[in-house]
Amino acid sequence: MLATLGHLRPALVSTALSKKLVGAKIGDARLVREGEDDQKAFTLIDSFDNQIGAADMALIATKNDLVLIAPDTAVARQDFAAPDFVDHMPEGPVTAKLGKIVNPLRRLLVRAEGTVSCQMLKMVDDLDKTVARCRVHSFVPESGTAACMIEFMPLRGYDEEMDQLTAFVASLGEPLGTVGDIARALRGPGADYTSKPVIAMTPDQTSFHVATDIIRAQIAVARANEPGVIEDIDSEFLHDYRVALRRTRSVISLFKGVFTEDQTQQFKDRFGSLMARTGQLRDLDVHLLDRQAYLELVPPALQPGIDKLFDSLAADRGAAHAKLARFFNGQAYLREMDKLEKLFAAPKRITKGPEAERPALAFAQALIWKRYVKVCKIAGLIDDGTADEQVHDLRIHCKKLRYLIEFFAPLFGKKDTKVILKSLKTLQDNLGAFNDYSVQQEALAGMLDRLCAGNSKDAIEIATSIGALVTVLHQKQTEERARVVASFTAFNSEKTSARFRKSFKPGKTAA
Amino acid sequence: MTVIASYSNKGGVGKTASAVNIAYCLAKEGHRVLLCDLDPQGASSFYFRVKPSKKLKGDRFFTDVKRFTDAIRGSDFDNLDILPANTEFRDFDVFLARMKRSQSRLKKALKSVGNDYDFIVLDCPPNISTLSENVFKASDAIVVPVIPTTLSERTFEQLVDFFKEHRLERKKILAFFSMAQATKKLHGETMRRMRKQHAKRFLDVTIPFSTDVEKMGIHRAPVGSFSASHEAASAYRKLSKEVAKKA
Ligand SMILES: Nc1ncnc2c1ncn2[C@@H]1O[C@H](COP(=O)(O)OP(=O)(O)OP(=O)(O)O)[C@@H](O)[C@H]1O
Ligand SMILES: [Mg+2]
């Protein structure tokens, strides 16, 4: 036979499977062991948010190998390398595939460990000729659930026999799962982090109920990211942490009347001060992630200046991280988070506002429709000459509209909200880029001010480079600005507005 | 892709034994190998327990590439596939005739599966003298087992003459002594004489007469798989290395 890595058909099964297979008769053929059971240590590798598992794949590392298992394709293999950012790992068939599914900002981590045993079985005919093979990989993680996968290794010219073998395995009645299921089983419960938890809700739950449910889930997301921020695994932990707090604050400010004014203000202050602690580190992260992009924006002669600037930013980042880690580890922070968690776990002590008892669906429709009308109104007034402030205003309203739709998505058709969010996204990307360029220019200008205080030789070099960079960024911002009117026109189509009306203003034919 | 034919203009000299063991040894070395059993008797298929293919019909078999590749079976060993003998396909002459005497046809047909193989080993049937020219042209090497007897000496000379007459490349001929018995004076003398006379044609290795080779019929497997440490197995390993180097 030609040596081929067979296709894996995973089976989420008891590890007794191997025993059921050995000696089994399949027509005239039999299944027998081939070689010894091979036992070794394994780790399951994935990002914190399980991007590999979400793609229905599993990355398994053993002493010498990295093996990427995907459904219905041959297994990819390369030499072992410690998990890291995919770009930092050696090139090979595995990292090539990972590059397509794992966010480059995410670092890969060990998500489960244990032992795996592999038993090769061959199916032999009446002449003792091998006609098919399979290898049973039985994974026993230290925590998590044991699972096994069967790797079917077809032999050229024996397709029928291979089909008989797979049919036989299926007939054993063991539950079959996807590769993603196997990965989830191995990780065990509590390792299923997602930055976007789905919050169940029904149309007639109260708006208060929905608001506190969402906030409780967001606090959980924030807390899940704390260890990763402290350990400084990758920048996505802090990013997700901040998004969770931002969503929380959006619920508080956008769900008007659900809490009393006092209560609302108190929450705004509390979550606002938590958020404020993270701003400096996040800003530095964002700049540092842009290092390469910035370098490419200026001519080679000015690149050393940019490099020096980034070296100094990297030093600042170190200090900012240490400060935030200290804060996260501190008693005050832990007490505050604990209190907030408890408060939203049993929200009896949260004071309800006038809209608290309104049914979620009616409440959602009113909020979303109002915001949509507002977006259209502001956008309608924007032309190529309008002041930038108006564009920023439009961006903020679009963002709020997006959050509202996302919060209440479970109440509306999945397909409808998806299409609406997609049409909104193109506009938002445009507005977002416009804003980013403007924020970047401001940040660089801020750095310039700080440099002037120094006045060293480096400072002059850096300042020259910053000057060049700001010019380019301004240029780019202008380009984005020029697209805004067209972006909105595209968003403001008959179709989109009909969709909005159907979901959020039903029963009325005209706005 | 290198094509190696195991051929002799004499029967029962060890063609099949060589083809089977060379194919096995090359695969063991990590080369991807296809062993074609061109003998309707199916001797080399027998050694790999591969049943003759029912689906194949003689007429169209070798003209239809897909039929050809569909007939290939995986052996029990890594990197080694078998094209089983076909009972419907009576004789190899017909196949070569269908190649329309075009030396490139066989190669082309084989190349259609060529992505998969580093070596194609042909186990030729006895008595194909009339059309053997096509095999010679299609192959990169022709491995010729020679039992060191006076009779073999004559037939080997006929083969060399055939190459001369037909302006075939004589250097493709890789002859070796097969079933040699050190105890037989005649064997020793013949080997010395032939090596002198056909110095360029003979490989260094000699396959001794060995009961291990006979036992292949009982085990239905190549020598190396059941008796790897014995003389015969190591002789075949040496043979396959020499052939791979010269082919
Ligand atoms: N080195 C050897 N030592 C002992 N017996 C051998 C050896 N080589 C081959 N034989 C035996 O000699 C017989 C003929 O060998 P083999 O079938 O390989 O020859 P062949 O040239 O392919 O024959 P045919 O012309 O019928 O195809 C077989 O029974 C085989 O077991
Ligand atoms: Mg033979």
Side-chain angles (χ1 to χ4, degrees):
Chain A
M1 66 154 209
L2 287 175
T4 42
L5 277 168
H7 298 193
L8 271 159
R9 306 220 188 150
L12 226 188
V13 293
S14 66
T15 36
L17 182 77
S18 195
K19 291 194 191 93
K20 282 195 188 175
L21 292 174
V22 176
K25 286 208 164 33
I26 306 169
D28 284 343
R30 301 167 290 128
L31 269 179
V32 293
R33 277 179 209 274
E34 187 174 40
E36 291 300 301
D37 182 341
D38 177 25
Q39 280 224 5
K40 50 195 166 187
F42 83 93
T43 54
L44 173 80
I45 294 172
D46 208 331
S47 61
F48 181 63
D49 56 349
N50 305 310
Q51 293 183 2
I52 300 174
D56 201 19
M57 298 187 197
L59 178 59
I60 304 285
T62 52
K63 190 163 172 275
N64 300 314
D65 298 297
L66 275 182
V67 175
L68 184 65
I69 301 159
D72 303 323
T73 65
V75 168
R77 196 212 77 86
Q78 73 182 56
D79 287 346
F80 174 81
D84 201 333
F85 295 98
V86 174
D87 289 347
H88 294 190
M89 290 170 73
E91 268 181 39
V94 172
T95 44
K97 281 192 173 184
L98 291 176
K100 293 189 191 122
I101 54 166
V102 179
N103 176 351
L105 301 182
R106 272 292 187 197
R107 191 196 289 267
L108 296 180
L109 305 166
V110 169
R111 306 306 317 275
E113 49 196 321
T115 46
V116 58
S117 60
C118 302
Q119 175 66 60
M120 181 77 100
L121 300 172
K122 59 178 178 178
M123 177 169 154
V124 296
D125 67 8
D126 50 342
L127 295 178
D128 267 348
K129 165 80 180 77
T130 306
V131 290
R133 284 193 177 88
C134 66
R135 190 158 32 199
V136 183
H137 304 257
S138 306
F139 297 94
V140 182
E142 274 160 21
S143 48
T145 314
C148 87
M149 293 194 216
I150 305 184
E151 184 181 1
F152 290 100
M153 306 161 107
L155 204 57
R156 185 164 191 170
Y158 294 99
D159 299 348
E160 265 172 47
E161 287 81 354
M162 187 76 245
D163 289 345
Q164 287 169 7
L165 176 57
T166 52
F168 174 74
V169 172
S171 77
L172 292 175
E174 299 283 355
L176 297 182
T178 62
V179 179
D181 292 337
I182 303 270
R184 192 170 311 116
L186 295 178
R187 289 196 306 265
D192 279 336
Y193 170 81
T194 164
S195 65
K196 284 188 176 170
V198 177
I199 292 138
M201 57 182 79
T202 59
D204 28 79
Q205 270 173 341
T206 66
S207 56
F208 180 85
H209 189 121
V210 170
T212 50
D213 273 1
I214 295 173
I215 293 173
R216 186 166 57 248
Q218 297 302 334
I219 293 174
V221 169
R223 299 230 66 182
N225 281 290
E226 289 164 1
V229 174
I230 294 168
E231 282 175 54
D232 209 10
I233 292 169
D234 63 50
S235 60
E236 290 297 279
F237 286 90
L238 182 59
H239 176 249
D240 280 8
Y241 177 94
R242 283 170 55 85
V243 169
L245 286 192
R246 197 176 301 130
R247 289 208 173 105
T248 303
R249 297 174 73 199
S250 297
V251 171
I252 292 161
S253 63
L254 297 178
F255 286 33
K256 290 215 167 65
V258 170
F259 308 125
T260 59
E261 269 176 39
D262 280 356
Q263 184 71 77
T264 301
Q265 192 53 52
Q266 189 216 58
F267 283 151
K268 275 186 182 173
D269 293 344
R270 289 172 78 175
F271 287 106
S273 78
L274 288 172
M275 189 70 150
R277 295 286 190 154
T278 62
Q280 191 199 6
L281 180 57
R282 179 60 193 166
D283 287 349
L284 287 164
D285 276 345
V286 170
H287 290 312
L288 287 163
L289 291 173
D290 281 339
R291 184 174 190 146
Q292 199 51 40
Y294 279 170
L295 277 171
E296 283 160 16
L297 286 178
V298 298
L302 295 177
Q303 285 177 359
I306 300 287
D307 264 328
K308 280 177 187 161
L309 169 65
F310 275 101
D311 288 343
S312 93
L313 290 181
D316 291 352
R317 189 201 171 276
H321 171 261
K323 197 168 145 195
L324 184 61
R326 241 185 345 267
F327 174 65
F328 275 1
N329 279 324
Q331 279 310 310
Y333 174 77
L334 293 172
R335 253 199 315 273
E336 170 69 348
M337 290 309 269
D338 192 49
K339 270 192 211 155
L340 287 168
E341 269 180 331
K342 283 192 178 127
L343 192 57
F344 283 93
K348 280 185 216 100
R349 284 170 29 233
I350 300 174
T351 51
K352 292 180 178 174
E355 300 279 4
E357 304 299 338
R358 221 169 137 191
L361 181 62
F363 185 64
Q365 285 172 329
L367 285 181
I368 293 169
W369 183 251
K370 206 171 137 195
R371 190 66 58 179
Y372 171 64
V373 170
K374 188 135 196 180
V375 163
C376 292
K377 194 175 147 206
I378 298 173
L381 295 172
I382 292 178
D383 59 28
D384 288 336
T386 320
D388 285 357
E389 280 69 54
Q390 295 286 91
V391 179
H392 284 296
D393 218 26
L394 176 62
R395 183 182 68 84
I396 286 159
H397 283 291
C398 280
K399 201 167 183 172
K400 288 177 175 171
L401 177 59
R402 171 178 210 89
Y403 275 140
L404 284 172
I405 297 170
E406 283 178 349
F407 288 143
F408 291 113
L411 295 178
F412 302 95
K414 207 174 183 171
K415 227 182 104 197
D416 289 339
T417 42
K418 211 172 163 184
V419 176
I420 285 175
L421 286 173
K422 208 177 153 199
S423 62
L424 188 55
K425 188 170 187 306
T426 324
L427 174 61
Q428 278 197 292
D429 285 349
N430 177 205
L431 294 169
F434 169 78
N435 183 57
D436 287 349
Y437 289 130
S438 132
V439 170
Q440 285 165 352
Q441 288 170 67
E442 267 171 46
L444 287 166
M447 288 173 210
L448 208 52
D449 291 344
R450 205 180 57 169
L451 274 175
C452 290
N455 200 20
S456 66
K457 190 170 143 268
D458 273 0
I460 294 166
E461 189 179 1
I462 294 174
T464 314
S465 298
I466 288 181
L469 202 48
V470 169
T471 312
V472 182
L473 291 172
H474 182 74
Q475 176 64 32
K476 294 208 165 265
Q477 188 192 5
T478 312
E479 286 165 19
E480 289 296 337
R481 173 68 182 83
R483 272 200 280 276
V484 169
V485 175
S487 294
F488 177 71
T489 312
F491 168 72
N492 197 26
S493 69
E494 290 281 342
K495 255 190 182 156
T496 307
S497 107
R499 278 198 193 99
F500 265 93
R501 183 160 294 118
K502 180 178 155 248
S503 293
F504 309 121
K505 190 85 175 164
K508 306 264 166 74
T509 43
Chain B
M1 186 184 78
T2 306
V3 180
I4 299 168
S6 182
Y7 173 87
S8 170
N9 45 341
K10 198 172 179 314
V13 295
K15 295 184 292 291
T16 299
S18 323
V20 163
N21 288 300
I22 288 173
Y24 172 81
C25 292
L26 289 173
K28 191 96 188 165
E29 287 283 298
H31 302 293
R32 295 160 303 168
V33 183
L34 173 66
L35 172 61
C36 301
D37 189 356
L38 298 180
D39 185 347
Q41 303 290 318
S44 45
S45 311
F46 171 84
Y47 286 128
F48 287 103
R49 304 162 194 246
V50 175
K51 294 172 183 169
S53 173
K54 281 168 272 173
K55 290 175 207 155
L56 301 171
K57 294 277 177 284
D59 301 14
R60 287 172 55 206
F61 176 35
F62 286 102
T63 51
D64 185 335
V65 167
K66 185 162 161 34
R67 281 163 174 269
F68 175 69
T69 53
D70 280 357
I72 294 173
R73 298 281 175 269
S75 76
D76 283 18
F77 307 100
D78 279 351
N79 294 324
L80 178 54
D81 285 356
I82 314 288
L83 176 69
N86 179 248
T87 46
E88 296 285 317
F89 173 68
R90 288 281 160 57
D91 56 5
F92 190 45
D93 293 8
V94 175
F95 161 50
L96 288 171
R98 286 198 186 277
M99 289 291 129
K100 293 202 181 90
R101 295 172 193 274
S102 146
Q103 66 249 46
S104 64
R105 287 291 289 272
L106 174 59
K107 199 149 198 163
K108 214 170 150 190
L110 295 177
K111 249 197 181 134
S112 70
V113 295
N115 282 347
D116 286 348
Y117 302 106
D118 302 317
F119 287 99
I120 299 205
V121 179
L122 307 176
D123 179 21
C124 298
N127 312 318
I128 57 158
S129 48
T130 49
L131 281 164
S132 45
E133 196 177 340
N134 285 322
V135 180
F136 301 151
K137 285 183 174 166
S139 306
D140 300 290
I142 298 127
V143 172
V144 185
V146 177
I147 303 176
T149 61
T150 354
L151 187 63
S152 304
E153 211 171 330
R154 287 250 316 279
T155 37
F156 185 68
E157 251 137 50
Q158 285 168 0
L159 178 66
V160 177
D161 288 345
F162 183 91
F163 269 66
K164 269 189 216 161
E165 276 165 39
H166 292 79
R167 296 165 179 276
L168 296 163
E169 288 179 71
R170 262 169 291 163
K171 67 167 199 281
K172 283 185 182 176
I173 298 179
L174 306 179
F176 67 94
F177 292 110
S178 170
M179 302 194 216
Q181 284 169 284
T183 52
K184 285 192 179 167
K185 188 159 163 275
L186 175 68
H187 276 198
E189 284 168 2
T190 313
M191 279 160 65
R192 271 191 296 282
R193 200 168 46 246
M194 287 187 81
R195 276 201 193 282
K196 209 164 159 193
Q197 204 174 338
H198 305 283
K200 288 186 185 161
R201 303 285 84 86
F202 272 83
L203 299 171
D204 296 339
V205 67
T206 294
I207 306 291
F209 186 91
S210 156
T211 51
D212 281 348
V213 181
E214 290 175 311
K215 281 185 199 153
M216 277 171 59
I218 301 165
H219 291 278
R220 298 189 73 169
V223 171
S225 71
F226 61 86
S227 175
S229 60
H230 285 70
E231 195 186 13
S234 72
Y236 279 120
R237 268 199 297 278
K238 222 173 128 191
L239 173 62
S240 74
K241 279 203 181 111
E242 261 193 274
V243 170
K245 206 168 136 193
K246 299 215 163 154

